[in-house]
PDB file of all heavy atoms in Angstrom:
ATOM      1  N   LEU A 247      14.654   3.644  -5.649  1.00 96.00           N
ATOM      2  CA  LEU A 247      13.515   4.513  -5.900  1.00 96.00           C
ATOM      3  C   LEU A 247      12.355   4.096  -4.997  1.00 96.00           C
ATOM      4  O   LEU A 247      12.119   2.901  -4.794  1.00 96.00           O
ATOM      5  CB  LEU A 247      13.092   4.446  -7.371  1.00 96.00           C
ATOM      6  CG  LEU A 247      14.196   4.690  -8.401  1.00 96.00           C
ATOM      7  CD1 LEU A 247      13.640   4.568  -9.811  1.00 96.00           C
ATOM      8  CD2 LEU A 247      14.842   6.055  -8.194  1.00 96.00           C
ATOM      9  N   ALA A 248      11.630   5.070  -4.474  1.00 96.00           N
ATOM     10  CA  ALA A 248      10.514   4.793  -3.568  1.00 96.00           C
ATOM     11  C   ALA A 248       9.218   5.311  -4.187  1.00 96.00           C
ATOM     12  O   ALA A 248       9.167   6.445  -4.678  1.00 96.00           O
ATOM     13  CB  ALA A 248      10.745   5.456  -2.210  1.00 96.00           C
ATOM     14  N   PHE A 249       8.176   4.476  -4.163  1.00 96.00           N
ATOM     15  CA  PHE A 249       6.896   4.813  -4.780  1.00 96.00           C
ATOM     16  C   PHE A 249       5.738   4.600  -3.807  1.00 96.00           C
ATOM     17  O   PHE A 249       5.774   3.723  -2.950  1.00 96.00           O
ATOM     18  CB  PHE A 249       6.636   3.932  -6.009  1.00 96.00           C
ATOM     19  CG  PHE A 249       7.604   4.119  -7.142  1.00 96.00           C
ATOM     20  CD1 PHE A 249       8.739   3.335  -7.223  1.00 96.00           C
ATOM     21  CD2 PHE A 249       7.376   5.070  -8.117  1.00 96.00           C
ATOM     22  CE1 PHE A 249       9.640   3.493  -8.265  1.00 96.00           C
ATOM     23  CE2 PHE A 249       8.259   5.235  -9.164  1.00 96.00           C
ATOM     24  CZ  PHE A 249       9.408   4.441  -9.244  1.00 96.00           C
ATOM     25  N   LEU A 250       4.694   5.405  -4.000  1.00 94.00           N
ATOM     26  CA  LEU A 250       3.376   5.129  -3.447  1.00 94.00           C
ATOM     27  C   LEU A 250       2.419   5.166  -4.632  1.00 94.00           C
ATOM     28  O   LEU A 250       2.797   5.531  -5.736  1.00 94.00           O
ATOM     29  CB  LEU A 250       3.001   6.141  -2.369  1.00 94.00           C
ATOM     30  CG  LEU A 250       3.030   7.639  -2.708  1.00 94.00           C
ATOM     31  CD1 LEU A 250       1.730   8.075  -3.389  1.00 94.00           C
ATOM     32  CD2 LEU A 250       3.280   8.452  -1.463  1.00 94.00           C
ATOM     33  N   SER A 251       1.189   4.741  -4.408  1.00 88.00           N
ATOM     34  CA  SER A 251       0.270   4.690  -5.544  1.00 88.00           C
ATOM     35  C   SER A 251      -1.161   4.964  -5.142  1.00 88.00           C
ATOM     36  O   SER A 251      -1.520   4.869  -3.967  1.00 88.00           O
ATOM     37  CB  SER A 251       0.338   3.324  -6.234  1.00 88.00           C
ATOM     38  OG  SER A 251      -0.320   2.355  -5.457  1.00 88.00           O
ATOM     39  N   THR A 252      -1.966   5.296  -6.145  1.00 92.00           N
ATOM     40  CA  THR A 252      -3.410   5.412  -5.959  1.00 92.00           C
ATOM     41  C   THR A 252      -4.104   4.447  -6.904  1.00 92.00           C
ATOM     42  O   THR A 252      -3.583   4.139  -7.981  1.00 92.00           O
ATOM     43  CB  THR A 252      -3.917   6.836  -6.230  1.00 92.00           C
ATOM     44  OG1 THR A 252      -3.623   7.193  -7.590  1.00 92.00           O
ATOM     45  CG2 THR A 252      -3.282   7.842  -5.280  1.00 92.00           C
ATOM     46  N   THR A 253      -5.257   3.976  -6.510  1.00 94.00           N
ATOM     47  CA  THR A 253      -6.088   3.119  -7.336  1.00 94.00           C
ATOM     48  C   THR A 253      -7.383   3.861  -7.647  1.00 94.00           C
ATOM     49  O   THR A 253      -8.077   4.300  -6.724  1.00 94.00           O
ATOM     50  CB  THR A 253      -6.414   1.802  -6.616  1.00 94.00           C
ATOM     51  OG1 THR A 253      -5.192   1.124  -6.314  1.00 94.00           O
ATOM     52  CG2 THR A 253      -7.297   0.908  -7.476  1.00 94.00           C
ATOM     53  N   SER A 254      -7.696   4.014  -8.916  1.00 95.00           N
ATOM     54  CA  SER A 254      -8.903   4.736  -9.327  1.00 95.00           C
ATOM     55  C   SER A 254      -9.803   3.824 -10.150  1.00 95.00           C
ATOM     56  O   SER A 254      -9.317   3.008 -10.939  1.00 95.00           O
ATOM     57  CB  SER A 254      -8.546   5.973 -10.159  1.00 95.00           C
ATOM     58  OG  SER A 254      -7.705   6.845  -9.437  1.00 95.00           O
ATOM     59  N   VAL A 255     -11.105   3.958  -9.946  1.00 95.00           N
ATOM     60  CA  VAL A 255     -12.085   3.194 -10.715  1.00 95.00           C
ATOM     61  C   VAL A 255     -13.132   4.161 -11.252  1.00 95.00           C
ATOM     62  O   VAL A 255     -13.257   5.292 -10.784  1.00 95.00           O
ATOM     63  CB  VAL A 255     -12.762   2.107  -9.858  1.00 95.00           C
ATOM     64  CG1 VAL A 255     -11.742   1.090  -9.378  1.00 95.00           C
ATOM     65  CG2 VAL A 255     -13.500   2.724  -8.677  1.00 95.00           C
ATOM     66  N   PHE A 256     -13.885   3.707 -12.243  1.00 95.00           N
ATOM     67  CA  PHE A 256     -14.977   4.516 -12.767  1.00 95.00           C
ATOM     68  C   PHE A 256     -16.113   4.526 -11.751  1.00 95.00           C
ATOM     69  O   PHE A 256     -16.504   3.478 -11.221  1.00 95.00           O
ATOM     70  CB  PHE A 256     -15.436   3.986 -14.124  1.00 95.00           C
ATOM     71  CG  PHE A 256     -14.442   4.267 -15.218  1.00 95.00           C
ATOM     72  CD1 PHE A 256     -13.439   3.357 -15.517  1.00 95.00           C
ATOM     73  CD2 PHE A 256     -14.486   5.454 -15.922  1.00 95.00           C
ATOM     74  CE1 PHE A 256     -12.503   3.617 -16.502  1.00 95.00           C
ATOM     75  CE2 PHE A 256     -13.560   5.729 -16.905  1.00 95.00           C
ATOM     76  CZ  PHE A 256     -12.562   4.808 -17.199  1.00 95.00           C
ATOM     77  N   GLY A 257     -16.641   5.706 -11.493  1.00 92.00           N
ATOM     78  CA  GLY A 257     -17.533   5.887 -10.355  1.00 92.00           C
ATOM     79  C   GLY A 257     -18.951   5.401 -10.522  1.00 92.00           C
ATOM     80  O   GLY A 257     -19.616   5.113  -9.531  1.00 92.00           O
ATOM     81  N   THR A 258     -19.470   5.303 -11.752  1.00 92.00           N
ATOM     82  CA  THR A 258     -20.880   4.934 -11.938  1.00 92.00           C
ATOM     83  C   THR A 258     -21.037   3.862 -13.010  1.00 92.00           C
ATOM     84  O   THR A 258     -21.796   4.033 -13.972  1.00 92.00           O
ATOM     85  CB  THR A 258     -21.709   6.170 -12.323  1.00 92.00           C
ATOM     86  OG1 THR A 258     -21.114   6.793 -13.493  1.00 92.00           O
ATOM     87  CG2 THR A 258     -21.762   7.178 -11.191  1.00 92.00           C
ATOM     88  N   PRO A 259     -20.339   2.739 -12.905  1.00 96.00           N
ATOM     89  CA  PRO A 259     -20.397   1.744 -13.978  1.00 96.00           C
ATOM     90  C   PRO A 259     -21.706   0.958 -13.978  1.00 96.00           C
ATOM     91  O   PRO A 259     -22.227   0.601 -12.928  1.00 96.00           O
ATOM     92  CB  PRO A 259     -19.224   0.827 -13.660  1.00 96.00           C
ATOM     93  CG  PRO A 259     -19.102   0.897 -12.173  1.00 96.00           C
ATOM     94  CD  PRO A 259     -19.463   2.317 -11.808  1.00 96.00           C
ATOM     95  N   VAL A 260     -22.230   0.702 -15.171  1.00 97.00           N
ATOM     96  CA  VAL A 260     -23.366  -0.204 -15.337  1.00 97.00           C
ATOM     97  C   VAL A 260     -23.029  -1.251 -16.399  1.00 97.00           C
ATOM     98  O   VAL A 260     -23.923  -1.908 -16.934  1.00 97.00           O
ATOM     99  CB  VAL A 260     -24.658   0.563 -15.716  1.00 97.00           C
ATOM    100  CG1 VAL A 260     -25.176   1.356 -14.536  1.00 97.00           C
ATOM    101  CG2 VAL A 260     -24.432   1.473 -16.917  1.00 97.00           C
ATOM    102  N   ASP A 261     -21.755  -1.376 -16.712  1.00 98.00           N
ATOM    103  CA  ASP A 261     -21.242  -2.380 -17.635  1.00 98.00           C
ATOM    104  C   ASP A 261     -20.188  -3.190 -16.889  1.00 98.00           C
ATOM    105  O   ASP A 261     -19.366  -2.628 -16.158  1.00 98.00           O
ATOM    106  CB  ASP A 261     -20.628  -1.710 -18.872  1.00 98.00           C
ATOM    107  CG  ASP A 261     -20.090  -2.708 -19.883  1.00 98.00           C
ATOM    108  OD1 ASP A 261     -18.966  -3.218 -19.677  1.00 98.00           O
ATOM    109  OD2 ASP A 261     -20.781  -2.973 -20.882  1.00 98.00           O
ATOM    110  N   VAL A 262     -20.213  -4.510 -17.059  1.00 97.00           N
ATOM    111  CA  VAL A 262     -19.303  -5.382 -16.316  1.00 97.00           C
ATOM    112  C   VAL A 262     -17.846  -5.040 -16.602  1.00 97.00           C
ATOM    113  O   VAL A 262     -17.023  -4.928 -15.687  1.00 97.00           O
ATOM    114  CB  VAL A 262     -19.579  -6.862 -16.651  1.00 97.00           C
ATOM    115  CG1 VAL A 262     -18.535  -7.773 -16.020  1.00 97.00           C
ATOM    116  CG2 VAL A 262     -20.979  -7.258 -16.191  1.00 97.00           C
ATOM    117  N   THR A 263     -17.518  -4.843 -17.866  1.00 97.00           N
ATOM    118  CA  THR A 263     -16.132  -4.551 -18.237  1.00 97.00           C
ATOM    119  C   THR A 263     -15.645  -3.268 -17.588  1.00 97.00           C
ATOM    120  O   THR A 263     -14.536  -3.211 -17.029  1.00 97.00           O
ATOM    121  CB  THR A 263     -15.993  -4.454 -19.762  1.00 97.00           C
ATOM    122  OG1 THR A 263     -16.449  -5.675 -20.360  1.00 97.00           O
ATOM    123  CG2 THR A 263     -14.553  -4.208 -20.167  1.00 97.00           C
ATOM    124  N   VAL A 264     -16.455  -2.239 -17.632  1.00 97.00           N
ATOM    125  CA  VAL A 264     -16.066  -0.947 -17.049  1.00 97.00           C
ATOM    126  C   VAL A 264     -15.922  -1.063 -15.536  1.00 97.00           C
ATOM    127  O   VAL A 264     -14.988  -0.511 -14.933  1.00 97.00           O
ATOM    128  CB  VAL A 264     -17.089   0.144 -17.412  1.00 97.00           C
ATOM    129  CG1 VAL A 264     -16.722   1.474 -16.759  1.00 97.00           C
ATOM    130  CG2 VAL A 264     -17.171   0.310 -18.929  1.00 97.00           C
ATOM    131  N   ALA A 265     -16.840  -1.798 -14.911  1.00 97.00           N
ATOM    132  CA  ALA A 265     -16.794  -1.946 -13.457  1.00 97.00           C
ATOM    133  C   ALA A 265     -15.534  -2.649 -12.988  1.00 97.00           C
ATOM    134  O   ALA A 265     -15.102  -2.469 -11.850  1.00 97.00           O
ATOM    135  CB  ALA A 265     -18.026  -2.715 -12.977  1.00 97.00           C
ATOM    136  N   GLU A 266     -14.926  -3.458 -13.870  1.00 97.00           N
ATOM    137  CA  GLU A 266     -13.773  -4.256 -13.475  1.00 97.00           C
ATOM    138  C   GLU A 266     -12.440  -3.640 -13.870  1.00 97.00           C
ATOM    139  O   GLU A 266     -11.381  -4.250 -13.665  1.00 97.00           O
ATOM    140  CB  GLU A 266     -13.903  -5.665 -14.072  1.00 97.00           C
ATOM    141  CG  GLU A 266     -15.093  -6.421 -13.493  1.00 97.00           C
ATOM    142  CD  GLU A 266     -15.342  -7.767 -14.148  1.00 97.00           C
ATOM    143  OE1 GLU A 266     -14.759  -8.016 -15.229  1.00 97.00           O
ATOM    144  OE2 GLU A 266     -16.118  -8.567 -13.586  1.00 97.00           O
ATOM    145  N   LEU A 267     -12.452  -2.433 -14.422  1.00 97.00           N
ATOM    146  CA  LEU A 267     -11.213  -1.740 -14.766  1.00 97.00           C
ATOM    147  C   LEU A 267     -10.729  -0.906 -13.586  1.00 97.00           C
ATOM    148  O   LEU A 267     -11.531  -0.342 -12.840  1.00 97.00           O
ATOM    149  CB  LEU A 267     -11.418  -0.821 -15.972  1.00 97.00           C
ATOM    150  CG  LEU A 267     -11.706  -1.499 -17.314  1.00 97.00           C
ATOM    151  CD1 LEU A 267     -12.011  -0.438 -18.373  1.00 97.00           C
ATOM    152  CD2 LEU A 267     -10.525  -2.367 -17.760  1.00 97.00           C
ATOM    153  N   ALA A 268      -9.424  -0.817 -13.424  1.00 96.00           N
ATOM    154  CA  ALA A 268      -8.842   0.021 -12.377  1.00 96.00           C
ATOM    155  C   ALA A 268      -7.546   0.637 -12.888  1.00 96.00           C
ATOM    156  O   ALA A 268      -6.772  -0.020 -13.597  1.00 96.00           O
ATOM    157  CB  ALA A 268      -8.578  -0.788 -11.117  1.00 96.00           C
ATOM    158  N   LEU A 269      -7.335   1.892 -12.548  1.00 97.00           N
ATOM    159  CA  LEU A 269      -6.132   2.618 -12.951  1.00 97.00           C
ATOM    160  C   LEU A 269      -5.194   2.730 -11.758  1.00 97.00           C
ATOM    161  O   LEU A 269      -5.569   3.285 -10.723  1.00 97.00           O
ATOM    162  CB  LEU A 269      -6.497   4.010 -13.460  1.00 97.00           C
ATOM    163  CG  LEU A 269      -5.355   4.840 -14.040  1.00 97.00           C
ATOM    164  CD1 LEU A 269      -4.911   4.290 -15.393  1.00 97.00           C
ATOM    165  CD2 LEU A 269      -5.779   6.293 -14.192  1.00 97.00           C
ATOM    166  N   GLU A 270      -3.993   2.182 -11.899  1.00 95.00           N
ATOM    167  CA  GLU A 270      -2.967   2.253 -10.863  1.00 95.00           C
ATOM    168  C   GLU A 270      -1.965   3.335 -11.256  1.00 95.00           C
ATOM    169  O   GLU A 270      -1.329   3.243 -12.303  1.00 95.00           O
ATOM    170  CB  GLU A 270      -2.250   0.915 -10.719  1.00 95.00           C
ATOM    171  CG  GLU A 270      -3.125  -0.231 -10.251  1.00 95.00           C
ATOM    172  CD  GLU A 270      -3.437  -0.157  -8.771  1.00 95.00           C
ATOM    173  OE1 GLU A 270      -2.752   0.590  -8.054  1.00 95.00           O
ATOM    174  OE2 GLU A 270      -4.376  -0.850  -8.337  1.00 95.00           O
ATOM    175  N   SER A 271      -1.819   4.341 -10.430  1.00 96.00           N
ATOM    176  CA  SER A 271      -0.928   5.461 -10.723  1.00 96.00           C
ATOM    177  C   SER A 271       0.178   5.509  -9.673  1.00 96.00           C
ATOM    178  O   SER A 271      -0.093   5.622  -8.478  1.00 96.00           O
ATOM    179  CB  SER A 271      -1.708   6.777 -10.716  1.00 96.00           C
ATOM    180  OG  SER A 271      -2.770   6.740 -11.645  1.00 96.00           O
ATOM    181  N   PHE A 272       1.413   5.423 -10.122  1.00 96.00           N
ATOM    182  CA  PHE A 272       2.570   5.446  -9.233  1.00 96.00           C
ATOM    183  C   PHE A 272       3.077   6.878  -9.063  1.00 96.00           C
ATOM    184  O   PHE A 272       3.206   7.613 -10.044  1.00 96.00           O
ATOM    185  CB  PHE A 272       3.702   4.595  -9.799  1.00 96.00           C
ATOM    186  CG  PHE A 272       3.406   3.124  -9.852  1.00 96.00           C
ATOM    187  CD1 PHE A 272       2.544   2.611 -10.814  1.00 96.00           C
ATOM    188  CD2 PHE A 272       3.996   2.258  -8.967  1.00 96.00           C
ATOM    189  CE1 PHE A 272       2.282   1.266 -10.873  1.00 96.00           C
ATOM    190  CE2 PHE A 272       3.744   0.903  -9.012  1.00 96.00           C
ATOM    191  CZ  PHE A 272       2.878   0.395  -9.969  1.00 96.00           C
ATOM    192  N   PHE A 273       3.395   7.244  -7.841  1.00 97.00           N
ATOM    193  CA  PHE A 273       3.938   8.567  -7.533  1.00 97.00           C
ATOM    194  C   PHE A 273       5.257   8.408  -6.792  1.00 97.00           C
ATOM    195  O   PHE A 273       5.430   7.459  -6.017  1.00 97.00           O
ATOM    196  CB  PHE A 273       2.967   9.357  -6.649  1.00 97.00           C
ATOM    197  CG  PHE A 273       1.689   9.740  -7.324  1.00 97.00           C
ATOM    198  CD1 PHE A 273       0.613   8.854  -7.348  1.00 97.00           C
ATOM    199  CD2 PHE A 273       1.537  10.978  -7.932  1.00 97.00           C
ATOM    200  CE1 PHE A 273      -0.578   9.201  -7.974  1.00 97.00           C
ATOM    201  CE2 PHE A 273       0.351  11.330  -8.549  1.00 97.00           C
ATOM    202  CZ  PHE A 273      -0.707  10.437  -8.576  1.00 97.00           C
ATOM    203  N   PRO A 274       6.187   9.337  -6.996  1.00 97.00           N
ATOM    204  CA  PRO A 274       7.424   9.281  -6.202  1.00 97.00           C
ATOM    205  C   PRO A 274       7.119   9.548  -4.736  1.00 97.00           C
ATOM    206  O   PRO A 274       6.344  10.435  -4.399  1.00 97.00           O
ATOM    207  CB  PRO A 274       8.284  10.398  -6.810  1.00 97.00           C
ATOM    208  CG  PRO A 274       7.310  11.321  -7.459  1.00 97.00           C
ATOM    209  CD  PRO A 274       6.170  10.476  -7.931  1.00 97.00           C
ATOM    210  N   ALA A 275       7.758   8.781  -3.869  1.00 95.00           N
ATOM    211  CA  ALA A 275       7.541   8.939  -2.430  1.00 95.00           C
ATOM    212  C   ALA A 275       8.557   9.875  -1.793  1.00 95.00           C
ATOM    213  O   ALA A 275       8.456  10.162  -0.601  1.00 95.00           O
ATOM    214  CB  ALA A 275       7.589   7.581  -1.735  1.00 95.00           C
ATOM    215  N   ASP A 276       9.521  10.339  -2.592  1.00 95.00           N
ATOM    216  CA  ASP A 276      10.488  11.302  -2.056  1.00 95.00           C
ATOM    217  C   ASP A 276      11.051  12.131  -3.206  1.00 95.00           C
ATOM    218  O   ASP A 276      10.842  11.812  -4.394  1.00 95.00           O
ATOM    219  CB  ASP A 276      11.614  10.602  -1.284  1.00 95.00           C
ATOM    220  CG  ASP A 276      12.320   9.523  -2.095  1.00 95.00           C
ATOM    221  OD1 ASP A 276      12.667   9.791  -3.267  1.00 95.00           O
ATOM    222  OD2 ASP A 276      12.542   8.422  -1.568  1.00 95.00           O
ATOM    223  N   ASP A 277      11.763  13.188  -2.870  1.00 96.00           N
ATOM    224  CA  ASP A 277      12.284  14.121  -3.881  1.00 96.00           C
ATOM    225  C   ASP A 277      13.337  13.465  -4.766  1.00 96.00           C
ATOM    226  O   ASP A 277      13.417  13.755  -5.963  1.00 96.00           O
ATOM    227  CB  ASP A 277      12.870  15.357  -3.206  1.00 96.00           C
ATOM    228  CG  ASP A 277      11.809  16.228  -2.544  1.00 96.00           C
ATOM    229  OD1 ASP A 277      10.625  16.094  -2.924  1.00 96.00           O
ATOM    230  OD2 ASP A 277      12.162  17.027  -1.658  1.00 96.00           O
ATOM    231  N   ASP A 278      14.161  12.588  -4.200  1.00 95.00           N
ATOM    232  CA  ASP A 278      15.191  11.937  -5.001  1.00 95.00           C
ATOM    233  C   ASP A 278      14.577  11.071  -6.095  1.00 95.00           C
ATOM    234  O   ASP A 278      15.059  11.038  -7.231  1.00 95.00           O
ATOM    235  CB  ASP A 278      16.090  11.077  -4.106  1.00 95.00           C
ATOM    236  CG  ASP A 278      17.035  11.914  -3.253  1.00 95.00           C
ATOM    237  OD1 ASP A 278      17.071  13.145  -3.462  1.00 95.00           O
ATOM    238  OD2 ASP A 278      17.717  11.332  -2.391  1.00 95.00           O
ATOM    239  N   THR A 279      13.508  10.354  -5.747  1.00 96.00           N
ATOM    240  CA  THR A 279      12.831   9.525  -6.750  1.00 96.00           C
ATOM    241  C   THR A 279      12.207  10.386  -7.835  1.00 96.00           C
ATOM    242  O   THR A 279      12.297  10.067  -9.029  1.00 96.00           O
ATOM    243  CB  THR A 279      11.758   8.651  -6.083  1.00 96.00           C
ATOM    244  OG1 THR A 279      12.381   7.779  -5.131  1.00 96.00           O
ATOM    245  CG2 THR A 279      11.009   7.811  -7.108  1.00 96.00           C
ATOM    246  N   ALA A 280      11.581  11.493  -7.458  1.00 96.00           N
ATOM    247  CA  ALA A 280      10.980  12.391  -8.447  1.00 96.00           C
ATOM    248  C   ALA A 280      12.033  12.913  -9.414  1.00 96.00           C
ATOM    249  O   ALA A 280      11.819  12.947 -10.642  1.00 96.00           O
ATOM    250  CB  ALA A 280      10.283  13.550  -7.734  1.00 96.00           C
ATOM    251  N   ALA A 281      13.191  13.313  -8.870  1.00 95.00           N
ATOM    252  CA  ALA A 281      14.253  13.826  -9.721  1.00 95.00           C
ATOM    253  C   ALA A 281      14.791  12.740 -10.650  1.00 95.00           C
ATOM    254  O   ALA A 281      15.056  12.976 -11.835  1.00 95.00           O
ATOM    255  CB  ALA A 281      15.372  14.394  -8.859  1.00 95.00           C
ATOM    256  N   ALA A 282      14.955  11.520 -10.128  1.00 94.00           N
ATOM    257  CA  ALA A 282      15.459  10.421 -10.944  1.00 94.00           C
ATOM    258  C   ALA A 282      14.496  10.089 -12.082  1.00 94.00           C
ATOM    259  O   ALA A 282      14.923   9.821 -13.215  1.00 94.00           O
ATOM    260  CB  ALA A 282      15.681   9.189 -10.072  1.00 94.00           C
ATOM    261  N   LEU A 283      13.195  10.115 -11.814  1.00 95.00           N
ATOM    262  CA  LEU A 283      12.213   9.823 -12.859  1.00 95.00           C
ATOM    263  C   LEU A 283      12.214  10.888 -13.939  1.00 95.00           C
ATOM    264  O   LEU A 283      12.055  10.595 -15.124  1.00 95.00           O
ATOM    265  CB  LEU A 283      10.823   9.680 -12.234  1.00 95.00           C
ATOM    266  CG  LEU A 283      10.634   8.464 -11.320  1.00 95.00           C
ATOM    267  CD1 LEU A 283       9.274   8.506 -10.649  1.00 95.00           C
ATOM    268  CD2 LEU A 283      10.802   7.170 -12.104  1.00 95.00           C
ATOM    269  N   ARG A 284      12.406  12.141 -13.538  1.00 94.00           N
ATOM    270  CA  ARG A 284      12.496  13.202 -14.543  1.00 94.00           C
ATOM    271  C   ARG A 284      13.734  13.013 -15.416  1.00 94.00           C
ATOM    272  O   ARG A 284      13.681  13.196 -16.634  1.00 94.00           O
ATOM    273  CB  ARG A 284      12.517  14.566 -13.868  1.00 94.00           C
ATOM    274  CG  ARG A 284      11.194  14.977 -13.220  1.00 94.00           C
ATOM    275  CD  ARG A 284      11.184  16.455 -12.858  1.00 94.00           C
ATOM    276  NE  ARG A 284      12.191  16.788 -11.860  1.00 94.00           N
ATOM    277  CZ  ARG A 284      11.976  16.780 -10.544  1.00 94.00           C
ATOM    278  NH1 ARG A 284      10.783  16.408 -10.075  1.00 94.00           N
ATOM    279  NH2 ARG A 284      12.932  17.107  -9.697  1.00 94.00           N
ATOM    280  N   ARG A 285      14.833  12.622 -14.803  1.00 93.00           N
ATOM    281  CA  ARG A 285      16.054  12.389 -15.571  1.00 93.00           C
ATOM    282  C   ARG A 285      15.890  11.211 -16.521  1.00 93.00           C
ATOM    283  O   ARG A 285      16.349  11.248 -17.657  1.00 93.00           O
ATOM    284  CB  ARG A 285      17.216  12.130 -14.612  1.00 93.00           C
ATOM    285  CG  ARG A 285      17.708  13.380 -13.913  1.00 93.00           C
ATOM    286  CD  ARG A 285      18.988  13.078 -13.159  1.00 93.00           C
ATOM    287  NE  ARG A 285      19.637  14.300 -12.733  1.00 93.00           N
ATOM    288  CZ  ARG A 285      20.842  14.354 -12.226  1.00 93.00           C
ATOM    289  NH1 ARG A 285      21.544  13.242 -12.075  1.00 93.00           N
ATOM    290  NH2 ARG A 285      21.378  15.509 -11.862  1.00 93.00           N
ATOM    291  N   LEU A 286      15.248  10.135 -16.059  1.00 91.00           N
ATOM    292  CA  LEU A 286      15.002   8.994 -16.923  1.00 91.00           C
ATOM    293  C   LEU A 286      14.148   9.383 -18.126  1.00 91.00           C
ATOM    294  O   LEU A 286      14.385   8.921 -19.247  1.00 91.00           O
ATOM    295  CB  LEU A 286      14.324   7.879 -16.125  1.00 91.00           C
ATOM    296  CG  LEU A 286      15.219   7.072 -15.176  1.00 91.00           C
ATOM    297  CD1 LEU A 286      14.379   6.210 -14.254  1.00 91.00           C
ATOM    298  CD2 LEU A 286      16.201   6.210 -15.963  1.00 91.00           C
ATOM    299  N   ALA A 287      13.148  10.214 -17.888  1.00 91.00           N
ATOM    300  CA  ALA A 287      12.285  10.660 -18.983  1.00 91.00           C
ATOM    301  C   ALA A 287      13.077  11.479 -19.990  1.00 91.00           C
ATOM    302  O   ALA A 287      12.923  11.318 -21.208  1.00 91.00           O
ATOM    303  CB  ALA A 287      11.114  11.466 -18.430  1.00 91.00           C
ATOM    304  N   ARG A 288      13.946  12.374 -19.516  1.00 90.00           N
ATOM    305  CA  ARG A 288      14.755  13.195 -20.433  1.00 90.00           C
ATOM    306  C   ARG A 288      15.727  12.324 -21.220  1.00 90.00           C
ATOM    307  O   ARG A 288      15.944  12.533 -22.410  1.00 90.00           O
ATOM    308  CB  ARG A 288      15.502  14.266 -19.655  1.00 90.00           C
ATOM    309  CG  ARG A 288      14.605  15.363 -19.076  1.00 90.00           C
ATOM    310  CD  ARG A 288      15.409  16.590 -18.686  1.00 90.00           C
ATOM    311  NE  ARG A 288      16.383  16.318 -17.635  1.00 90.00           N
ATOM    312  CZ  ARG A 288      16.133  16.471 -16.345  1.00 90.00           C
ATOM    313  NH1 ARG A 288      14.931  16.854 -15.932  1.00 90.00           N
ATOM    314  NH2 ARG A 288      17.077  16.220 -15.445  1.00 90.00           N
TER     315      ARG A 288
END
């Protein structure tokens, strides 16, 4: 399986805890991986 990812943070933090959180989202890098992930979910 092949993956790429994005990293997202809160855009206007004024709290230390919020400023230090990050969301990592994995995406399939090809059609075969996307299909395999759908099958795993089912």
Side-chain angles (χ1 to χ4, degrees):
L247 307 179
F249 296 92
L250 55 84
S251 75
T252 61
T253 300
S254 302
V255 297
F256 288 90
T258 55
V260 289
D261 181 280
V262 173
T263 303
V264 178
E266 295 174 346
L267 293 175
L269 186 72
E270 296 284 344
S271 303
F272 294 75
F273 293 86
D276 54 47
D277 291 340
D278 286 353
T279 299
L283 293 174
R284 290 193 297 269
R285 286 189 167 190
L286 284 168
R288 290 197 297 268

